[in-house]
Amino acid sequence: ARLGHTPGKALMMGFLEQVRPKLPFFNPRNLANTLWALAKLHHKLEEGLMAGFLERTRQTLRLRFLDAQDVATSLWALAKMGYNPGPKRMTMFLEELVPRLPSFGAQDTVNSLCSIAMMGCDIDNDLMAQFLRQVRLKLPSLSEHDLASYVWAIARMGHKPDS
């Protein structure tokens, strides 16, 4: 993806035909790297395959095969490709993600929040409150860039801070 080469449609279709049946066996790094490359190539996945990638990421969270950076990268890539999983899928994903946020570093937590904001889906208020509590706990360790990204994400989602 960094060489500037864009593979032809036939090559990408062949690649995706091979990915689909193997997706249930992808580990978090496989998911993140594949999604990152597809996003960098500006390749649009069909809805069902994007949903499959999100579901596999959710499964890896449930099984605790977790690397926070891989989760953040996968979310970023799905958002970059314009994926909006809708409220039901996002709620299912966040129910697995939020309890694991304490193990995330500050940057990966904020990057995940920004990616979710980029997806533009409605999020359950209770889950969002839990997510934002985790971010607030990490505020002292956020860089200037992370602080700016945090406030951008909550503004993009229309979150109003408590008065």
Side-chain angles (χ1 to χ4, degrees):
R2 291 182 188 228
L3 296 175
H5 176 74
T6 304
K9 187 173 183 169
L11 181 62
M12 289 305 295
M13 295 308 291
F15 168 75
L16 292 172
E17 284 174 22
Q18 295 303 310
V19 166
R20 190 179 302 276
K22 294 174 181 146
L23 191 57
F25 307 103
F26 274 39
N27 66 36
R29 183 65 38 95
N30 300 147
L31 291 165
N33 288 344
T34 302
L35 285 168
W36 178 87
L38 290 168
K40 291 299 270 184
L41 289 168
H42 305 286
H43 187 77
K44 278 284 205 193
L45 293 176
E46 47 111 340
E47 175 78 19
L49 194 52
M50 282 198 275
F53 271 104
L54 183 67
E55 176 58 21
R56 182 61 189 146
T57 303
R58 185 177 78 84
Q59 290 169 354
T60 64
L61 283 168
R62 185 178 330 122
L63 298 170
R64 300 189 193 277
F65 299 137
L66 174 66
D67 180 275
Q69 184 178 0
D70 292 336
V71 173
T73 299
S74 295
L75 288 172
W76 171 85
L78 287 167
K80 181 83 172 155
M81 289 186 280
Y83 182 54
N84 180 334
K88 182 179 177 183
R89 271 198 189 110
M90 184 51 74
T91 296
M92 289 171 49
F93 182 80
L94 289 174
E95 285 171 346
E96 299 291 338
L97 176 65
V98 169
R100 310 247 177 343
L101 288 175
S103 69
F104 278 40
Q107 183 178 19
D108 293 321
T109 303
V110 170
N111 288 348
S112 295
L113 181 67
C114 287
S115 297
I116 291 165
M118 285 171 52
M119 288 183 194
C121 45
D122 294 325
I123 297 170
D124 176 80
N125 287 335
D126 291 336
L127 281 170
M128 184 48 52
Q130 291 174 45
F131 199 120
L132 293 177
R133 265 193 298 283
Q134 286 301 316
V135 177
R136 280 194 293 277
L137 291 172
K138 299 171 197 267
L139 282 175
S141 57
L142 294 180
S143 69
E144 298 81 6
H145 176 78
D146 293 336
L147 287 167
S149 296
Y150 167 66
V151 76
W152 173 87
I154 60 174
R156 171 110 186 223
M157 290 187 290
H159 180 73
K160 303 283 190 259
D162 299 333
S163 29

